[in-house]
Amino acid sequence: MLIAANKAVSIDYTLTNDAGEVIDSSEGGAPLVYLHGAGNIIGGLEKALLGKQVGDELDVAVEPEDAYGEYSAELVATLNRSMFEGVDELEVGMQFHASGPDGGMQIVTVRELDGDDVIVDGNHPLAGQRLHFKVKVVDVRDASEEEVAHGHVHGEGGHHH
C-alpha cells in the first residue's frame, strides 16, 4: 500500500539540524503515527513521503519554508514584567500562550530578561532552520472514517480521546 491522502502512516525517524545534532527521534520508542494529507507533520516531510511504502527508507532535507517558516524578527517583542501577573519566577525558556498579530493564539518563549523588560519570541524554535530527516516507513493502512473526520490517527501511537 502506498502512502497517500487519508492513510494512517507509521514512521521511525531521526531529525537533525545542519550541524548533525539530533533534535528529535523515535529511536527507542514507538514510531510516529500520522494521518497523511491532514497537515499533522511538516509539509516538506509529508511531500517526500507521498507514494512511499512499508520498508522504504529515505533521507530528506526540508528547507525552512516547507518546515517551520523563516525566522521573523517581527515576532520578537519587549513586554513589561507586569504583563506576566501571577507568575512569581520568570525564567528564560518559559513559554506562554499569547494573542498573535492575526488575533490567533501563538506560543511565545521568554528569550531574555532585562530588569522589567521581558523579551519574548513568537517564532517556532526551529524557524529558519533546514531540517534533516532520516525516515523508515514502518506501516501504512487505510485510516478509519472517524480518523479522517477528526483529522488525526487514533489509538496506539496516535491521538487518544
Side-chain angles (χ1 to χ4, degrees):
M1 181 176 293
L2 299 180
I3 295 176
N6 298 328
K7 300 293 183 194
V9 181
S10 301
I11 58 172
D12 282 328
Y13 72 96
T14 297
L15 167 61
T16 58
N17 60 17
D18 275 343
E21 299 163 331
V22 175
I23 297 169
D24 194 15
S25 178
S26 64
E27 190 174 322
L32 171 69
V33 183
Y34 75 96
L35 179 62
H36 197 85
N40 295 163
I41 62 173
I42 62 170
L45 180 58
E46 193 168 55
K47 282 184 216 159
L49 287 165
L50 183 65
K52 302 295 188 253
Q53 59 189 348
V54 172
D56 284 352
E57 295 185 39
L58 54 155
D59 291 311
V60 182
V62 180
E63 296 301 322
E65 60 269 18
D66 292 324
Y68 295 101
E70 295 294 345
Y71 186 86
S72 173
E74 294 173 7
L75 295 178
V76 177
T78 301
L79 305 175
N80 189 284
R81 188 177 289 270
S82 65
M83 303 268 305
F84 297 87
E85 189 176 321
V87 180
D88 294 334
E89 265 320 295
L90 272 177
E91 294 178 21
V92 171
M94 289 177 113
Q95 294 186 318
F96 297 91
H97 289 273
S99 295
D102 62 357
M105 290 303 289
Q106 72 179 54
I107 294 176
V108 297
T109 303
V110 175
R111 197 167 83 182
E112 192 179 325
L113 298 167
D114 184 12
D116 282 339
D117 289 341
V118 180
I119 293 90
V120 296
D121 189 343
N123 286 286
H124 186 282
L126 298 177
Q129 294 188 41
R130 178 183 303 113
L131 304 177
H132 302 271
F133 290 89
K134 185 172 185 57
V135 180
K136 180 175 184 182
V137 180
V138 178
D139 188 46
V140 181
R141 66 169 173 79
D142 289 323
S144 70
E145 285 182 28
E146 184 181 43
E147 289 171 327
V148 172
H150 287 191
H152 55 252
V153 175
H154 294 161
E156 189 170 327
H159 186 83
H160 299 276
H161 286 277

